[in-house]
Amino acid sequence: MAKPEGPTEPFKRALAAAMRALADESELQVSFGPETPGLRGHRARLPVPGRELPTAEVAQIRGAGDAMALKLRHHDEKLHNRLLPQGGTARSVFEAAEQARVEAIGANAMQGVAANLGAMLDERCKARGYARVRDRSEAPLADVVGLMVRERLTGQPIPEA
């Protein structure tokens, strides 16, 4: 007798399918786990959603998935590596600007993607304590540039957090 599936399984399947469609990559493998979320090649790792599927958490996870899918679809790894600057700060700024660029493509084209990315970004800003920053030296340059590029490309304001 088959074990009944948990309430998060349909969400996980739908999110994986949406990511494959957005990335235009039918071979994208999507998994969920406690490890740090990330994208390596055609393997995406996302956080495990809570059993009750809280609305805010769902939007954040969808935003993370959308960000990964958009990077797969709109990022040119060879060109990126050729233009990638040397040095830690320059490299971090370049990476942040590129991620903001690929996310802006999706946010400008699809309202739902924009909302998901916004929820993810808002949570990231809260988690990093950006609302408490009072001096330029307290804000990581790469994150600031990424926020500025996002605002410029999408017209969306920087989150309150």
Side-chain angles (χ1 to χ4, degrees), residues 100 104 108 145-158:
N108 288 336
V145 171
L147 289 169
M148 291 170 65
V149 170
R150 173 190 173 270
E151 183 177 39
R152 181 71 175 181
L153 294 178
T154 65
Q156 296 174 3
I158 293 172

Side-chain angles (χ1 to χ4, degrees), residues 7-154:
T8 62
E9 294 310 309
F11 169 73
K12 290 177 182 179
R13 282 194 305 274
L15 180 54
M19 286 178 68
R20 286 184 197 99
L22 188 57
D24 195 25
E25 289 288 342
S26 61
E27 301 301 316
L28 175 61
Q29 296 176 14
V30 180
S31 61
F32 298 82
E35 300 88 5
T36 303
L39 179 66
R40 288 188 174 251
H42 286 82
R43 292 175 180 236
R45 165 74 75 184
L46 293 168
V48 177
R51 280 185 63 78
E52 301 303 316
L53 294 171
T55 304
E57 183 182 25
V58 165
Q60 293 162 21
I61 294 171
R62 288 176 61 187
D66 290 349
M68 291 177 200
L70 289 165
K71 186 168 186 176
L72 273 175
R73 184 156 192 167
H74 299 293
H75 177 74
D76 182 329
E77 192 68 29
K78 288 180 183 176
L79 177 62
H80 184 80
N81 288 335
R82 195 175 79 228
L83 299 174
L84 189 64
Q86 300 301 308
T89 302
R91 182 179 291 247
S92 296
V93 167
F94 188 79
E95 298 280 357
E98 171 62 359
Q99 188 62 42
R101 182 190 73 80
V102 298
E103 289 176 15
I105 293 169
N108 288 336
M110 294 166 273
Q111 195 173 35
V113 168
N116 295 339
L117 293 170
M120 177 193 69
L121 181 60
D122 189 56
E123 181 55 35
R124 184 183 317 144
C125 290
K126 286 177 186 172
R128 294 181 180 172
Y130 291 157
R132 296 185 304 271
V133 170
R134 299 291 173 239
D135 185 72
R136 291 176 124 167
S137 64
E138 298 175 301
L141 182 61
D143 291 350
V144 171
V145 171
L147 289 169
M148 291 170 65
V149 170
R150 173 190 173 270
E151 183 177 39
R152 181 71 175 181
L153 294 178
T154 65

